[in-house]
Amino acid sequence: MDSIATTAAAAFESQSAGVAARRQEFGLTERRAALARLAAAIRHNEAPLVTALAADFGKPEAEVILTELLPVMQEIRHASRHLRRWMRPRRVAPTLATLGTSARIRPEPRGVCLIIAPWNYPFSLALGPLVSALAAGNSAIIKPSEMTPATSALIAKLVQETFPPSLVTVIEGGVDASQALLELPFDHIFFTGSPAVGKVVMAAASRTLASVTLELGGKSPTIIGPDADLENAAKWIVFGKFANAGQTCIAPDHVFVHRAVKDGFLAVLRNRIAKAYGTAGTSPHLARIVNDRHAQRLSDLLQDAVGKGAQVTMDSPSQGRDLGPTLIEALTPEMDISSEEIFGPILPIIAYDNIDEVIDQINARPKPLALYVFAKARPQIDRIIAATSSGSVGVNLTVAQFTHTGLPFGGVNTSGIGAAHGEYGFRAFSHERAVLTNHFSALPLVFPPYTARVKRLIGLIKRFLG
Ligand code: NAD
């Protein structure tokens, strides 16, 4: 075995050895204490976190606090407050066939879990799932993204100073580390990343039949109806699209705007962009593209679209990995940008006349992670929601659905399997074990031998229940 495989196997063995003991000893008090330790460590590391994310991709401090630190702290607080209720076995009423028994559902830890994180929110998407894993009583190995090395090193240090490796440990590295870990028989794999790698993870999980949560991506459409509040739409779209320089899984990927309000919307959108980021292209309020490869990918996407007839209607001076907000129009299906997840600060604007065209276009593509609707007429909003599918929906806002700890966060098919956050995250990392206890069940009356009397009884039951 090479060294990364040996390290991965040793980390896994150390956690596996404690599974049976953890089932009995890692109760409500211990889990809450673990979460409190994590919260204290995060508070203590706020300044290094801001520095690490600035080094990795120029993420503004305000965005680090809003989108990396606060989501994890919020998850910790919510889990600590509700954990007692989540952990409590739930009673289930008996059915006619099981009269004389009592039924309960016991949420139990899955065991040893693997968390593979992406680079775009490298801190919150590694430690957010850890909160759920610990709340549910598991141990976890975290594999942060290699593309944000400063944040990866910080996560490793923070975890090492906070938890014994038999409970939580970090294995740093790239695809080789990820693949070495995927060889091991984890009880649950929680993966956040691209749909392409999601398939690799699911294939690996099929070898051991590990359960999976896949938090994937895709092209999240945004629809602006003829009656939308355009100022409000521009405000939310600019934040949702350009925060993190567009490198957000639930960012509006492209905008369908009703032709009657297109010019008005473009005018307020341009104003809003100028107000938020200025007109110099680079801005201290705008993160950078994560690396040269992704900057090149975005430039290629734009060149391909322009070469095939797209018009750039708002361009910002860009420099290396500093890409400014860019608006493009006149898209056609042949352009790569029409099918690839953009994941950068380029926003296609597509005019429509009839909402049915938009619904058809959305339904012709893989189910997106998020769908946004800006409109006032409730029937119109409801119709769009009912006619389409997506992981989540934002009405008259963008991305804020991620911050609601009471809502499941996840995709559907290509955009993901399973859900995260709050109780949904706790459940993702729990096995719901059914326990049925006999008190005075009458079922033995129909056990063999199947005499005439038993058969008559079965006939009676069939008439009653069938
Ligand atoms: P990615 O799939 O390239 O990488 C994610 C993780 O998988 C990394 O840790 C990486 O080291 C590992 N990995 C990469 N290739 C691998 C392979 N062949 N085998 C095993 N492991 C491998 O994703 P990314 O570029 O880091 O993140 C961007 C993608 O993630 C986008 O598609 C985005 O929409 C999606 N995303 C989804 C969510 C969500 O919550 N649904 C959140 C953030 C990002």
Side-chain angles (χ1 to χ4, degrees):
M1 271 204 279
D2 56 15
S3 71
I4 188 73
T6 314
T7 312
F12 180 83
E13 278 312 315
S14 141
Q15 297 200 353
S16 287
V19 167
R22 263 196 311 278
R23 268 198 198 114
Q24 303 196 48
E25 293 160 11
F26 198 35
L28 177 65
T29 313
E30 293 76 18
R31 295 183 199 180
R32 275 190 176 148
L35 294 179
R37 279 208 305 283
L38 182 59
I42 294 172
R43 256 181 241 118
H44 183 69
N45 278 283
E46 180 175 326
L49 179 64
V50 169
T51 310
L53 279 153
D56 281 334
F57 61 113
K59 190 153 166 158
E61 179 174 352
E63 278 182 23
V64 174
I65 305 298
L66 272 178
T67 67
E68 300 277 7
L69 191 134
L70 287 179
V72 185
M73 296 305 273
Q74 195 181 232
E75 278 290 313
I76 293 175
R77 186 197 298 214
H78 185 74
S80 307
R81 195 173 286 167
H82 297 283
L83 195 50
R84 183 191 299 277
R85 179 171 58 78
W86 296 346
M87 286 175 67
R88 200 180 292 147
R90 297 196 301 280
R91 277 197 170 285
V92 181
T95 61
L96 272 179
T98 56
L99 276 179
T101 66
S102 59
R104 282 176 310 147
I105 302 169
R106 272 176 59 91
E108 296 187 347
R110 288 191 183 276
V112 184
C113 301
L114 173 62
I115 296 169
I116 302 180
W119 55 263
N120 64 331
Y121 290 89
F123 189 77
S124 63
L125 295 177
L127 296 192
L130 177 66
V131 174
S132 301
L134 289 173
N138 300 277
S139 71
I141 297 180
I142 303 174
K143 210 298 280 169
S145 173
E146 70 281 17
M147 299 229 234
T148 38
T151 310
S152 173
L154 178 71
I155 294 170
K157 181 169 168 287
L158 182 153
V159 164
Q160 197 193 5
E161 289 169 356
T162 312
F163 298 110
S166 57
L167 185 61
V168 189
T169 195
V170 172
I171 304 258
E172 288 191 88
V175 176
D176 52 342
S178 204
Q179 290 187 339
L181 287 161
L182 287 171
E183 288 293 320
L184 300 165
F186 281 94
D187 297 295
H188 188 72
I189 303 172
F190 189 107
F191 170 81
T192 308
S194 59
V197 181
K199 290 178 190 169
V200 173
V201 170
M202 198 159 173
S206 76
R207 286 200 294 269
T208 54
L209 293 176
S211 50
V212 291
T213 306
L214 302 178
E215 298 278 340
L216 310 177
K219 290 177 83 61
S220 298
T222 299
I223 301 170
I224 300 184
D227 63 343
D229 175 339
L230 300 180
E231 283 286 348
N232 180 63
K235 205 180 281 176
W236 282 96
I237 290 170
V238 167
F239 176 68
K241 179 69 184 186
F242 301 114
N244 222 36
Q247 303 164 110
T248 300
C249 55
I250 45 169
D253 182 272
H254 50 285
V255 173
F256 294 106
V257 55
H258 194 276
R259 200 175 300 278
V261 294
K262 191 191 109 182
D263 290 344
F265 172 66
L266 277 173
V268 291
L269 186 64
R270 282 202 191 90
N271 276 340
R272 187 72 211 169
I273 291 171
K275 192 168 175 195
Y277 306 110
T279 47
T282 59
S283 159
H285 308 294
L286 203 55
R288 203 172 297 138
I289 301 306
V290 71
N291 56 30
D292 292 341
R293 184 167 68 75
H294 275 282
Q296 189 59 48
R297 179 186 63 79
L298 287 162
S299 154
D300 291 349
L301 264 187
L302 201 56
Q303 288 315 313
D304 172 79
V306 170
K308 291 172 181 162
Q311 285 159 19
V312 175
T313 50
M314 179 177 165
D315 202 0
S316 315
S318 58
Q319 223 180 4
R321 288 164 54 201
D322 285 303
L323 254 61
T326 304
L327 306 180
I328 65 167
E329 293 181 60
L331 261 64
T332 61
E334 298 72 45
M335 299 170 185
D336 293 341
I337 206 163
S338 299
S339 51
E340 258 183 51
E341 181 180 5
I342 299 172
F343 226 57
I346 306 171
L347 183 62
I349 309 286
I350 304 149
Y352 72 88
D353 297 298
N354 182 338
I355 193 65
D356 290 327
E357 307 159 21
V358 175
I359 290 173
D360 288 348
Q361 281 192 51
I362 292 171
N363 288 340
R365 298 199 40 77
K367 294 167 195 162
L369 189 56
L371 174 95
Y372 300 110
V373 186
F374 288 88
K376 290 204 187 92
R378 195 69 234 184
Q380 182 78 339
I381 298 168
D382 290 344
R383 167 136 187 271
I384 294 168
I385 296 174
T388 56
S389 175
S390 66
S392 61
V393 179
V395 179
N396 294 325
L397 55 74
T398 66
V399 304
Q401 74 273 26
F402 182 88
T403 65
H404 196 307
T405 42
L407 287 176
F409 182 79
V412 49
N413 298 127
T414 318
S415 53
I417 293 178
H421 291 184
E423 188 168 5
Y424 298 92
F426 172 84
R427 286 197 186 175
F429 283 98
S430 300
H431 165 57
E432 299 201 312
R433 193 177 190 189
V435 181
L436 190 68
T437 305
N438 184 16
H439 304 294
F440 44 85
S441 169
L443 279 174
L445 290 177
V446 294
F447 289 174
Y450 299 120
T451 58
R453 199 175 69 88
V454 171
K455 284 185 185 158
R456 265 202 311 281
L457 195 56
I458 292 174
L460 258 174
I461 296 171
K462 192 175 129 200
R463 251 200 286 157
F464 206 59
L465 296 181

